[in-house]
Amino acid sequence: MENFAVIDLGSNSCRMTVTEIEEDGSFKRGQMTKAFVRLSEGMEASGELQELPMARTITALQGFYAVYSKLENLTLRAVATAAVRGAKNQADFLERVKQQVHGLEIQVITGNEEANYDYLGVINTLPVTNCVIMDTGGASCELVLVQNGRVQNLVSLPFGSVNLSETFLVHGTDQVAAVDLFRLSTAVQRLFNGIWWLHRGQNLPIVALGGSNRTIAKIRRKEKKVADYEDIHGFRMTVAEVDDVYANIIGRNLAQRKAIPGLSKDRADIIAAGITPIVTIMRTLDSGRVVFSENGVREGILYEHLADLRAHGRIGEVDKSAKK
């Protein structure tokens, strides 16, 4: 058995998933670990990763090391996305991680690679054929147009919940000001208008990934009193339901947002900006529904790894019943 660990260092959170892969090709998800590090915090002015977020991130990675270092037959893959990708001090940060986290080497993936991994994570675990995949992170947003089960176009846009909040919610994160919300939604709409192929996703469902988008589903499931409200993979919502959640969020101050069931207190200050893109794109494409996915970059990397193992004859055919 191989323990395949994937670390995904995002702009807002850092996550690790361990998957146990058997020789016959079957696999099951083991331990999952998450830490809110908000690595992109304060980057807007200088374009550099700041000291406190870097320190938080390294502490989180050291905690991950305490877990994966105990695993036998370990294969480790660590990737970083938008925050590290755009940082002027990227090289210094990666070297610091290597020195302070027992030689951990992190690969910085491109926006297109991130979008493609999102596609692999979705297409292997959800029954979708035609859709627009949207992954809204802390500092980037990936869009993938899927037709007949295949990628037709993809793009990575340089905005997410953290940098949108820092750029547009200039009157503070307590109460969302109407003028800030207008400028935010207008800027997002203009970026979407500049994607020439996006109109081909008209009327298609949106498959939503990323912490902010998933929060919409968690809030709705809490409202419906679903016991396992965090298990949102495959959960569907109409555009009207998404709009209701959005209106509830932007109509509250920070303390009131922290009290919303299903919304993490760590995300309350950036959630309004974080879900504005999905509300905007559903209107742009006149999408009638959104399907939520728990699987994205980390699972995409897993499926790429499984395909490589099969190609080299190291495992049998994957057991499709292991999908999640």
Side-chain angles (χ1 to χ4, degrees):
M1 182 193 74
E2 175 189 34
N3 282 301
F4 184 62
V6 180
I7 295 174
D8 175 13
L9 176 53
S11 305
N12 188 51
S13 63
C14 185
R15 301 167 186 259
M16 182 178 72
T17 302
V18 178
T19 303
E20 300 173 357
I21 304 173
E22 302 292 346
E23 291 184 359
D24 64 359
S26 62
F27 58 95
K28 66 177 180 179
R29 180 178 291 173
Q31 186 164 352
M32 297 179 62
T33 310
K34 177 175 70 173
F36 286 104
V37 296
R38 200 159 292 187
L39 183 56
S40 63
E41 185 178 62
M43 279 187 66
E44 284 299 296
S46 66
E48 294 188 346
L49 299 170
Q50 301 299 297
E51 176 56 35
L52 185 56
M54 287 193 291
R56 285 196 300 258
T57 301
I58 288 173
T59 297
L61 292 171
Q62 289 170 337
F64 288 2
Y65 172 80
V67 175
Y68 70 72
S69 63
K70 298 176 182 177
L71 300 175
E72 297 181 355
N73 196 22
L74 172 70
T75 299
L76 175 65
R77 179 88 184 276
V79 300
T81 54
V84 182
R85 187 160 63 228
K88 294 178 181 177
N89 55 343
Q90 174 190 126
D92 291 340
F93 171 69
L94 294 177
E95 181 60 28
R96 183 170 166 182
V97 169
K98 186 175 180 179
Q99 294 297 324
Q100 297 184 27
V101 193
H102 304 273
L104 177 63
E105 294 191 0
I106 298 178
Q107 175 194 4
V108 182
I109 59 176
T110 68
N112 284 354
E113 287 174 325
E114 184 176 359
N116 191 62
Y117 282 135
D118 283 332
Y119 160 74
L120 291 175
V122 168
I123 205 68
N124 281 287
T125 62
L126 282 176
V128 293
T129 304
N130 301 291
C131 67
V132 174
I133 298 172
M134 182 181 207
D135 180 2
T136 309
S140 72
C141 177
E142 284 67 47
L143 297 173
V144 185
L145 175 63
V146 179
Q147 293 180 326
N148 298 318
R150 296 183 178 276
V151 174
Q152 296 301 309
N153 303 92
L154 51 76
V155 68
S156 180
L157 301 171
F159 66 74
S161 57
V162 177
N163 57 8
L164 285 178
S165 297
E166 292 180 352
T167 301
F168 291 100
L169 300 187
V170 295
H171 293 90
T173 56
D174 185 40
Q175 187 73 52
V176 180
V179 62
D180 292 341
L181 191 62
F182 170 74
R183 288 172 175 158
L184 165 60
S185 59
T186 300
V188 170
Q189 182 68 69
R190 285 174 177 163
L191 283 171
F192 289 156
N193 289 344
I195 303 172
W196 65 268
W197 49 263
L198 193 56
H199 72 279
R200 286 162 37 190
Q202 197 79 10
N203 302 131
L204 293 183
I206 305 296
V207 177
L209 295 79
S212 292
N213 291 339
R214 291 170 181 141
T215 295
I216 299 171
K218 292 176 183 178
I219 291 173
R220 181 59 177 151
R221 286 169 69 83
K222 266 291 191 179
E223 289 174 349
K224 297 175 72 173
K225 303 187 186 309
V226 178
D228 55 342
Y229 75 96
E230 292 188 319
D231 184 14
I232 57 94
H233 193 64
F235 183 63
R236 297 170 178 243
M237 289 176 61
T238 65
V239 63
E241 289 176 312
V242 172
D243 284 347
D244 284 345
V245 173
Y246 185 57
N248 185 28
I249 287 171
I250 63 176
R252 299 188 181 212
N253 61 32
L254 181 58
Q256 291 169 335
R257 290 197 297 274
K258 288 183 176 180
I260 296 176
L263 171 58
S264 168
K265 291 180 175 60
D266 293 319
R267 201 178 291 278
D269 60 332
I270 58 172
I271 189 62
I275 64 176
T276 294
I278 192 169
V279 171
T280 304
I281 201 169
M282 291 186 78
R283 292 174 180 170
T284 301
L285 299 181
D286 196 20
S287 297
R289 66 187 185 280
V290 57
V291 182
F292 294 90
S293 174
E294 284 280 14
N295 297 337
V297 169
R298 282 166 293 134
E299 290 75 20
I301 291 172
L302 167 65
Y303 280 97
E304 179 185 67
H305 181 64
L306 290 168
D308 183 66
L309 291 176
R310 289 198 304 272
H312 290 85
R314 295 176 57 189
I315 63 170
E317 189 63 32
V318 176
D319 180 4
K320 299 298 183 181
S321 66
K323 285 185 178 183
K324 170 63 178 172

